[in-house]
Structures are given as C-alpha cells and as structure tokens.
Amino acid sequence: MSTTTAPGSASFLSGRPLRVIAAGILLVNGMFPALWILFTSLKTEAELTAKPITWIPHAPTVQNYVQAFSDQPLHIFLFNSFMVALLSSALTLFVAVLAAYALARLNLSYRGLILSLIIAVSTFPLVTLLVPLFEIMRALNLLNSWTALILPYTVLSLPVCTLMLVSFFEGIPRDLENAAMIDGCTRMGALFKVVVPLCAPGVFTAGILAFVNAWDEFLLALSFNSNPSLRTLPVGIQLYQGEFAFPWPVISAALVAGIVPVAILIVIFQERVVSGLTAGGIKG
C-alpha cells in the first residue's frame, strides 16, 4: 500500500515557513551571546548580580569601558592583535596564492598526495603543535616578538586558505593566462594581474579567515610572549580578573572592544565574503 504525504505538510517542509524558522534559530544562536556581552558591559556590578535577572540594563553606563582602558593597557592589546593578525594574514595570502596556483595549474606528479597531506595537517589539534613550535621559536631566538606569533599563525592558516584558493583557480580558464603571457606577461605577472583579480572574492574570504583566526588565538599568544607590551587581546583580557574577583561588566566591555574591529571588517567586506563562500563551492 502506497503512502501519500498531505499537500499542506509537504509545502511546509519545503516552503518558506521552515526556512524562516531555521534562519531565526541561526540568528538567535549567533546573536544572543554577542547581545548578552553587550548588555553586560552596560550594567553595573550591582545590577548584574541582582535577582531576578535583568536582560536589558535599566540604567546603561559606559563606566565599564572607561575602566577597561584604565585598568589595563587595552589599546596596546588591540594594537598588537591588529598588527599580528594583519601581517600574518598578508603573509598567509601571499604563500597560499603561490601554493594554490601551483596545485591548480602545474602538472605535479603527486598532486593528490599533496592535497591529502594539506587536509591532514589542518586537522592536527593546536595543543599537539605547541611544544614543537615553542622549541623552534626558542631556537630561532624569536620568543617575545610579533614574529613568534606571525609565523605560526601563517602556518596554521595556510592549509584552509590554500584549499579554498585551489578551487577558485581551477575555475579560471587557462586561456586568460595564456593570452596575458602572449602579450608579454610572465607567469607570475599573469597570476597577480589576471588570476588573482578574477578570484578576488576567494582571496578576500581566505584573508578574513586568516585574520579572524589570528585575532582570536589564545594558546600560542600566551605561551610565546611574556612581555607585557607585546600581549595580544585574548591574553590581555584574562588580566582583568583578580584572585577572588571577576569584574564581568569590565571584562565584557573589553570583549566588546575586541569584537567591534572584526565586526566592522566583516561588514565592510560582507559582499565579497558571501560571494567567495558561495562561488568556491560551485563550478561549471
């Protein structure tokens, strides 16, 4: 005996209501933590610990932001994080573009093996790499410097960025490069003057992924830099807590200060990121 599905249920499962519900769940799941941190940063300590819990602050205050910058050198933490993330993402993009172009265009004998190794390396837990990376940085006398973070962040972001760019480069017709080289361009010139501009959405997406990964990283930043003037934001935020006190409103204000730059970056390049994420999975 065959079974039939009611038209109403079929249209609901495949129609707009389910998509709206799913989008709502994703929005709440993504926005609630950020909103909670924002509201906490605008509360006083007394209101935060009061019962019943108040979701929205009754008397918003910016004193927590003033205290966040006065208790710790938050501006130095932000500057260090920005410079480390910017330099590491720039270096990651440069190396990833060259590696992805070689994998996409050159007739490498072990291309499949190389791609498999790249995927395998990207799955290593960071904690397993901590000691080897620390020993390398110490042997090179790079501890307590931006370089001690820039180089490892580049290595950690390279697999994902390279794999992403390979799919983009494979979608660019070879005829465009050949035409550029006939007109006098070298292969490197064709890469950076023709291929990279055509893959701009993918390049921007890979760069932002590398930037965010470096901006949020905590373990290496804590282990490789003990100089207070070189601390990055994730390490600096932990300094706000005392031995017996956790000033959550002040900590939340520092967190908001760390979220805002990344949020602005994503908003500015939103269209390129979205087109890069969607175009990377579609060929033909």
Side-chain angles (χ1 to χ4, degrees), residues 162-270:
T162 301
L163 291 174
M164 177 180 293
L165 292 177
V166 166
S167 64
F168 277 91
F169 289 169
E170 288 178 341
I172 301 298
R174 294 175 181 264
D175 294 340
L176 297 177
E177 300 163 61
N178 295 334
M181 287 188 284
I182 290 174
D183 289 339
C185 271
T186 61
R187 182 174 287 275
M188 292 293 290
L191 169 61
F192 287 102
K193 294 180 180 179
V194 178
V195 178
V196 171
L198 291 175
C199 296
V203 174
F204 273 100
T205 304
I208 289 178
L209 288 177
F211 185 93
V212 172
N213 287 338
W215 182 271
D216 293 338
E217 202 283 324
F218 172 79
L219 184 59
L220 298 184
L222 176 65
S223 304
F224 293 175
N225 276 341
S226 58
N227 189 337
S229 63
L230 295 175
R231 289 192 177 108
T232 57
L233 184 64
V235 178
I237 287 177
Q238 71 166 348
L239 300 177
Y240 287 95
Q241 67 183 43
E243 185 177 359
F244 303 105
F246 292 87
W248 291 117
V250 178
I251 293 175
S252 298
L255 287 172
V256 171
I259 293 172
V260 168
V262 178
I264 293 175
L265 182 68
I266 293 176
V267 168
I268 292 175
F269 297 107
Q270 179 183 5

Side-chain angles (χ1 to χ4, degrees), residues 4-15 18:
T4 58
T5 305
S9 60
S11 61
F12 176 81
L13 292 176
S14 61
L18 186 61

Side-chain angles (χ1 to χ4, degrees), residues 11-26:
S11 61
F12 176 81
L13 292 176
S14 61
R16 185 175 180 182
L18 186 61
R19 293 197 296 269
V20 172
I21 294 173
I25 293 174
L26 292 175

Side-chain angles (χ1 to χ4, degrees), residues 53-119:
I53 296 175
T54 57
W55 297 97
I56 300 177
H58 293 312
T61 176
V62 296
Q63 181 59 34
N64 296 318
Y65 291 90
V66 176
Q67 190 174 345
F69 280 92
S70 61
D71 288 357
Q72 298 290 341
L74 184 59
H75 62 287
I76 295 179
F77 302 155
L78 288 168
F79 176 75
N80 289 335
S81 287
F82 179 78
M83 293 304 299
V84 168
L86 180 65
L87 294 174
S88 65
S89 58
L91 182 58
T92 299
L93 278 183
F94 179 75
V95 179
V97 164
L98 298 179
Y101 183 77
L103 290 169
R105 287 291 190 261
L106 304 183
N107 296 321
L108 301 177
S109 301
Y110 300 99
R111 181 178 181 275
L113 177 61
I114 295 173
L115 289 173
S116 299
L117 290 176
I118 291 175
I119 296 173

